[in-house]
Amino acid sequence: AFQGCFKTPPSDKCPLLRVLPVMIPPPRSSKISTRNFIVVFLGILCILVPVRKKGLGLSVVGELLPKRHRLKAKVLQHNLVSSIQKSKHCRNSHSICAEDRYIIQWKGDGVEGYTSPFRHMEFQNAFAASSNRTNAIKFQDLDVNPSNEKQLLQLLRIEHAAADDDNDDDGGTNSIASRIYLAEASQRCASVRSIYHVLACGDSLEACGDEAASNFKISTFSSGSWCIRVKNLNSSMRSLEESTVLSSMSGFFQLLDGRVDLTHPQNLFHVWQGLSGNANDKLSPFLLTRQIATGFDLSFYKPNTRECVTSTPLDPIAAFIMVNAGRVSRDVHVLDPYAGSGSVLLAASAVAHNVVTIGIDRDETIHFPSIIKDFHHRSLTPPSGLIRGDFRNASIRQQAKKSALSATLSLSSESSSAFQGFDAIITDPPYGIRERLDSDPLLDLFRIIALENENDVPLLKIGGRLIVFVPRLERRGVSVPPQLNSSLLKQAELDLIEAIRQPLESPGLCRWLMIFQRRRRSRDQ
């Protein structure tokens, strides 16, 4: 049983097994030394005895533990007693300080018009791609002064299934896993600036620090360098000094083992002032958070940094939003039938490893070697195929499938990994606004997907997604989604998942991001 404490992760069902492994440093081997056995046994007394007789355990073994571990033992003792006394109602509280609460900071609105629907959609799908989960993510506005920050800060909460409740208490596996997936989702999003995990809140700095100390999880971030920053979001309030925060919240910060690093800390803590919520999520005057991730840095993906330059390049924000809407993840196949300069393919390779990307374009002026250079300069996997031709041509589509199959076989020799169709078709096609076209690209996509569904290897696999931008002219400021041919949609076996409008700089013009998913065939089909 003692040996299992070292070999297996801490158990969330038994508080004792959760806290014992952190009482002593991790062993260098799987064998238990006499010293470690004694310290673990004394650790049991240190934790369990005070439950009945306060302080007896620590008085017996206090001198045998190093001072640093003695302080941690007091924290663990407090946590164990608190967890025994905590009711189920308290564990499921809707307080801002609950374990599954986060503050997300979005990037500002620009001329591109990427508003809240785009942000929420991108983050929801990025989380689904990272975690392979369908948990609902709830966003809530926060009242912020100045008002220009109001839409850039939101409260985020993950709705767990009822079956996950037992694992969601006191830093359970479900909450820890969600935190990891939230960080991964944020790191691949173009619209996210930072995301913060709420550690504690209080009416005073001292109360906030005491709550953070009582909720302290040693295995989470006790090691590693750190620093503290103050965020004052209310111009009428006087900003706190960092030295004041450190002295007032010393009960929490003295539990950290790492050194202070003001330039590149591994753990960046923030104390927030000036936030307020609604009646369901009342915010205390002070919040302590830990930054868990930052959004994707697009500075190296702007058109002026590219080798391949076209007259109408797709901006990187749009490319990353489309890729996240397609839920691109590791080892998937992505096709862009109107690839242009390869912005979508570049974004797909940036957000996930081993993505097989194929691009098709009939424009003779596009220099494919320059596209390959763009990938190499960013240390990304280049496209498995760049094909010159018309996507509507069956031989061109067959060439794209062969390129995807060859890339799949080179990555894995397992027969189960054979190419079965593209996981996502993501494209921003031309629509005749600046150039003449002989057909509607959206209808062409529907027809070709429907035609390819009858083949042994379809173009879009079952469950795969079609992501496409469709421009629309606005009349009197009114814009409606593009009218879809229901018959073609049925033949293509596509369901419309979401349609989001984006205003553009040109007056009277907007575009809609359309998200489709191929459904499973019914038995009678």
Side-chain angles (χ1 to χ4, degrees):
F2 288 119
Q3 195 170 6
C5 291
F6 298 99
K7 285 186 173 181
T8 60
S11 169
D12 292 288
K13 299 298 182 182
C14 175
L16 178 61
L17 292 181
R18 184 166 71 240
V19 299
L20 275 180
V22 297
M23 288 295 297
I24 60 175
R28 296 182 179 178
S29 66
S30 60
K31 296 182 180 181
I32 298 296
S33 65
T34 303
R35 173 187 171 276
N36 286 350
F37 182 90
I38 294 174
V39 173
V40 169
F41 179 75
L42 294 177
I44 294 176
L45 294 178
C46 178
I47 296 297
L48 291 184
V49 173
V51 174
R52 297 198 177 195
K53 296 185 178 181
K54 184 176 180 181
L56 179 59
L58 283 175
S59 64
V60 173
V61 300
E63 296 301 323
L64 297 177
L65 291 175
K67 183 177 181 180
R68 184 180 62 184
H69 293 291
R70 200 181 313 162
L71 179 61
K72 292 180 180 179
K74 293 180 181 179
V75 175
L76 293 171
Q77 174 187 326
H78 180 274
N79 288 348
L80 182 61
V81 176
S82 299
S83 64
I84 294 174
Q85 297 174 345
K86 193 180 295 184
S87 66
K88 187 69 176 179
H89 172 75
C90 292
R91 291 197 300 268
N92 292 336
S93 172
H94 291 285
S95 167
I96 178 65
C97 301
E99 188 71 27
D100 58 350
R101 300 289 173 154
Y102 302 85
I103 291 177
I104 189 166
Q105 184 177 17
W106 306 103
K107 294 179 181 177
D109 273 332
V111 294
E112 301 89 353
Y114 297 103
T115 52
S116 292
F118 275 95
R119 297 167 179 165
H120 296 171
M121 179 277 299
E122 183 191 24
F123 194 87
Q124 290 268 15
N125 286 292
F127 181 82
S130 299
S131 64
N132 199 24
R133 294 181 176 185
T134 57
N135 302 71
I137 298 179
K138 304 297 183 182
F139 298 97
Q140 175 192 313
D141 289 337
L142 297 172
D143 292 332
V144 180
N145 186 11
S147 59
N148 60 352
E149 295 282 344
K150 185 171 184 178
Q151 297 299 324
L152 302 184
L153 282 172
Q154 286 188 310
L155 190 65
L156 182 151
R157 183 175 184 271
I158 301 177
E159 299 288 346
H160 296 297
D164 296 332
D165 284 346
D166 290 338
N167 284 337
D168 202 30
D169 298 331
D170 295 330
T173 55
N174 199 55
S175 292
I176 295 173
S178 296
R179 203 172 307 141
I180 295 173
Y181 294 139
L182 284 173
E184 292 178 357
S186 301
Q187 290 166 353
R188 56 181 281 167
C189 280
S191 56
V192 173
R193 185 172 302 280
S194 300
I195 186 168
Y196 308 88
H197 179 213
V198 178
L199 302 178
C201 60
D203 294 330
S204 64
L205 288 176
E206 291 77 7
C208 189
D210 291 343
E211 181 175 335
S214 64
N215 294 333
F216 187 69
K217 309 294 187 301
I218 290 179
S219 59
T220 305
F221 49 77
S222 61
S223 60
S225 59
W226 61 276
C227 77
I228 181 71
R229 294 285 182 262
V230 177
K231 282 183 174 287
N232 184 6
L233 300 175
N234 191 337
S235 57
S236 63
M237 295 177 61
R238 182 179 178 182
S239 297
L240 294 168
E241 296 290 339
E242 293 174 3
S243 57
T244 303
V245 173
L246 286 173
S247 60
S248 301
M249 305 178 70
S250 59
F252 168 74
F253 290 110
Q254 68 181 355
L255 299 176
L256 304 178
D257 293 338
R259 62 182 179 86
V260 174
D261 186 345
L262 301 180
T263 54
H264 301 289
Q266 294 172 287
N267 298 295
L268 179 58
F269 299 98
H270 287 91
V271 171
W272 298 71
Q273 297 175 265
L275 282 176
S276 60
N278 60 20
N280 295 326
D281 279 301
K282 295 181 179 180
L283 298 185
S284 298
F286 301 101
L287 257 71
L288 174 66
T289 65
R290 173 176 170 261
Q291 181 176 288
I292 62 174
T294 57
F296 198 94
D297 183 7
L298 299 177
S299 59
F300 197 39
Y301 291 81
K302 294 180 179 179
N304 58 4
T305 66
R306 300 280 305 278
E307 290 285 337
C308 183
V309 180
T310 59
S311 58
T312 56
L314 180 66
D315 67 272
I317 299 178
F320 276 80
I321 286 179
M322 295 178 78
V323 164
N324 282 314
R327 297 187 177 181
V328 173
S329 58
R330 186 183 182 93
D331 299 329
V332 303
H333 302 78
V334 177
L335 171 67
D336 185 352
Y338 302 93
S341 62
S343 298
V344 166
L345 308 181
L346 200 65
S349 293
V351 301
H353 296 291
N354 291 347
V355 176
V356 177
T357 56
I358 306 292
I360 303 174
D361 205 290
R362 63 181 182 179
D363 190 346
E364 297 288 342
T365 64
I366 295 176
H367 192 231
F368 285 167
S370 295
I371 296 179
I372 301 298
K373 287 183 180 179
D374 281 327
F375 282 80
H376 288 318
H377 290 172
R378 294 161 179 81
S379 301
L380 300 176
T381 303
S384 300
L386 289 174
I387 304 168
R388 187 89 61 187
D390 194 329
F391 167 67
R392 297 170 295 182
N393 190 320
S395 62
I396 295 296
R397 299 196 300 273
Q398 190 62 28
Q399 186 178 346
K401 291 182 184 179
K402 288 182 179 179
S403 298
L405 177 60
S406 300
T408 303
L409 295 177
S410 65
L411 291 174
S412 175
S413 59
E414 298 179 7
S415 58
S416 60
S417 64
F419 177 69
Q420 299 175 352
F422 288 95
D423 299 271
I425 299 176
I426 306 173
T427 189
D428 179 34
Y431 278 90
I433 296 177
R434 297 182 181 179
E435 60 282 304
R436 287 191 174 185
L437 298 176
D438 53 4
S439 62
D440 187 331
L442 184 61
L443 296 181
D444 288 339
L445 285 166
F446 291 162
R447 293 191 188 101
I448 291 171
I449 291 174
L451 181 64
E452 291 279 350
N453 286 347
E454 304 301 324
N455 297 336
D456 293 335
V457 180
L459 191 68
L460 183 65
K461 68 190 304 183
I462 294 175
R465 290 195 160 199
L466 169 64
I467 314 296
V468 58
F469 262 123
V470 182
R472 294 283 288 176
L473 293 174
E474 294 182 326
R475 295 182 179 178
R476 298 178 182 178
V478 178
S479 176
V480 295
Q483 298 297 316
L484 302 176
N485 188 314
S486 58
S487 177
L488 272 180
L489 273 179
K490 184 176 181 181
Q491 294 176 30
E493 302 171 8
L494 292 174
D495 292 323
L496 177 62
I497 303 299
E498 195 167 0
I500 306 177
R501 174 184 171 274
Q502 180 192 24
L504 298 177
E505 287 184 318
S506 301
L509 182 65
C510 72
R511 64 181 178 182
W512 288 78
L513 181 64
M514 314 289 289
I515 304 175
F516 302 90
Q517 186 165 349
R518 188 184 170 196
R519 61 179 176 271
R520 294 185 178 275
R521 291 186 174 184
S522 58
R523 292 183 179 180
D524 53 341
Q525 287 181 301

